[in-house]
Amino acid sequence: MSDAAVLIVGAGIAGATLAVLLADAGVPVTLIDQRPSPPAPTSGQPLDARVSAIHAAAVGLYERLGVWSRLAAGRQAPFGRIEVWDAGSAGRIGFDSAQVGQPWLGRIVENRSLLAALHERLREMSATGVLAPATLADWRVDERGLTAGLGDGRELTAQLLVAADGAASPLRERAGLACVHDDFEQSALVCHVATEHAHADTARQRFLPTGPLAFLPLADGRCSIVWSTNPGEAQRLAQLPDGDFALELAGAFDHRLGAVTAVDERRVIPLRGLEAERYLGPRLALLGDAAHLVHPLAGLGANLGIGDAAALAHQLVRAHRSGRDLGWVETLRPYERGRRSENLPVVQAIRGLQRLFRVDNAPLRALRGFGLLAVDRIGPLKRLLTAAACGLTDPALRA
């Protein structure tokens, strides 16, 4: 008799989303994480620097699961437009939700608020258990299932173990699943800033020779910035006095929102990428950052993990309802095949864009600019890209 059908290690956005999806369908699931379950931020608490752009299709999934309504209005904000331009050429492109008949492209949400909403929903669901803080010490597999040993000596049984334990993924490493690693030779400086002009619910990104600079709209009228640049420059920017940093930031952003009038705490995050060569091991499935990690220039990291969770849940719910073993490779193979075919082109495209915009020679700058302007004028292609920005092209998230 299993303690749960599925044991998920890692209660971040991808892992918690999978747990809610499975519990909502009546699949017994246990979620464990080394950190305590996150509390909901209080109304007076400042917005955390870690935010994600969640596209419309993923928001729709959370609405259907009863998660999104638990988020306070001040912790998430819609964006209806995306503007992108190249500092080294005349190239620019814009996407508008109206082009695909949507009210908005997505929402910028505080990560800890989304996690708190997911965990609050989990606490209401009878098919789930949450062990946090707790750690997985080891596991062993046989033809009937798996037995997992926790750090405190307890043992759990399940049919399937899901590694949602992040890019460093101890579970992936212990299972011997190889990865292709990328060192982008960049760090991201992140913080929230106030600007002279309103953001008008628009996400903006300028490609600089050293990396992209994004301004994402927040509910309180400020913007969350993600400034990707070389590590030494990121550290220099982080250590500047607020006034000097505000002047450099406004100039780097082409004064698109006027002056930067206030700056909060700055953080620097090293940027690396990976793609697991396989998403499956014996009674093991990789999820989210444990399977793939991308550069933040397209804002897709969280959405890829949410898509993984939806795709894996689809296969597991079908198997559970038909009485099949959830850990069988025949049960899991469609998940691996479908998500690798969905994720790998995205990983490769983002890798290519990141390298393309860092090459600084005149012919290539001109070609980049021409390409952006051409795509901006090709209606069908632009609508397809806009639909992708909404998540409408991800088969795992279609309603």
Side-chain angles (χ1 to χ4, degrees):
M1 179 82 175
S2 295
D3 294 299
V6 180
L7 176 61
I8 303 169
V9 178
I13 291 174
T17 299
L18 177 62
V20 172
L21 283 161
L22 294 176
D24 186 65
V27 180
V29 57
T30 297
L31 180 66
I32 75 171
D33 196 279
Q34 61 185 359
R35 296 159 298 184
S37 295
T42 61
S43 58
Q45 214 168 342
L47 282 170
D48 191 67
R50 300 300 296 266
V51 300
S52 293
I54 306 297
H55 56 45
V59 173
L61 174 70
Y62 287 135
E63 288 175 336
R64 294 191 295 275
L65 290 170
V67 170
W68 199 260
S69 60
R70 299 165 192 273
L71 288 167
R75 302 285 163 177
Q76 50 90 14
F79 61 98
R81 283 186 52 78
I82 298 174
E83 295 177 358
V84 178
W85 71 103
D86 182 12
S89 73
R92 62 189 62 245
I93 190 169
F95 303 99
D96 193 309
S97 60
Q99 293 165 343
V100 289
Q102 297 291 316
W104 33 266
L105 296 169
R107 304 261 173 168
I108 307 299
V109 61
E110 184 186 43
N111 285 14
R112 67 181 178 187
S113 289
L114 179 54
L115 283 172
L118 284 162
H119 281 258
E120 182 182 331
R121 182 73 182 100
L122 280 171
R123 285 192 290 270
E124 299 174 347
M125 306 175 94
S126 60
T128 188
V130 178
L131 302 178
T135 57
L136 180 70
D138 56 54
W139 76 94
R140 58 186 184 274
V141 171
D142 60 33
E143 67 277 5
R144 296 185 302 276
L146 66 93
T147 303
L150 303 187
D152 61 7
R154 283 180 293 174
E155 288 194 339
L156 302 174
T157 61
Q159 296 175 29
L160 175 68
L161 179 63
V162 176
D165 52 344
S169 187
L171 271 70
R172 183 191 66 225
E173 296 301 311
R174 285 189 229 172
L177 298 178
C179 292
V180 176
H181 291 272
D182 267 334
D183 185 348
F184 297 122
E185 300 179 347
Q186 288 188 326
S187 293
L189 183 146
V190 298
C191 70
H192 299 331
V193 301
T195 56
E196 180 182 3
H197 304 312
H199 56 56
D201 296 335
T202 300
R204 297 174 173 88
Q205 184 163 255
R206 188 185 195 205
F207 279 97
L208 301 166
T210 53
L213 169 58
F215 274 55
L216 307 175
L218 298 174
D220 61 9
R222 296 183 299 161
C223 290
S224 175
I225 72 154
V226 183
W227 192 343
S228 302
T229 185
N230 67 70
E233 177 67 358
Q235 291 296 337
R236 184 190 73 82
L237 291 168
Q239 293 164 13
L240 285 175
D242 286 356
D244 294 343
F245 175 73
L247 288 172
E248 286 209 32
L249 177 61
F253 204 57
D254 204 22
H255 300 280
R256 185 58 61 98
L257 294 177
V260 174
T261 58
V263 176
D264 71 1
E265 180 186 0
R266 283 161 270 167
R267 301 181 190 176
V268 174
I269 303 168
L271 297 180
R272 294 180 178 85
L274 68 86
E275 173 68 20
E277 294 180 0
R278 294 191 58 201
Y279 287 12
L280 302 178
R283 293 194 177 274
L284 175 71
L286 304 184
L287 189 76
D289 288 353
H292 44 74
L293 186 66
V294 297
H295 194 285
L297 69 87
L300 288 176
N303 293 302
L304 292 180
I306 295 165
D308 289 351
L312 182 54
H314 177 72
Q315 296 301 327
L316 296 178
V317 170
R318 288 181 61 191
H320 178 73
R321 289 174 177 169
S322 63
R324 287 183 286 128
D325 189 324
L326 275 59
W328 282 350
V329 68
E330 291 83 0
T331 299
L332 300 169
R333 187 71 72 197
Y335 162 70
E336 179 182 53
R337 185 169 54 245
R339 289 316 289 176
R340 277 187 58 81
S341 66
E342 185 71 27
N343 294 336
L344 190 56
V346 174
V347 172
Q348 292 174 336
I350 292 175
R351 184 185 299 140
L353 281 173
Q354 189 264 342
R355 291 172 179 166
L356 172 65
F357 279 93
R358 292 190 71 186
V359 176
D360 192 24
N361 65 65
L364 191 53
R365 286 199 305 270
L367 185 61
R368 285 195 318 244
F370 174 78
L372 283 173
L373 290 170
V375 172
D376 198 43
R377 290 175 170 83
I378 300 173
L381 177 56
K382 190 172 176 180
R383 284 192 293 275
L384 178 62
L385 292 173
T386 305
C390 289
L392 302 178
T393 59
D394 188 336
L397 292 171
R398 289 175 189 157

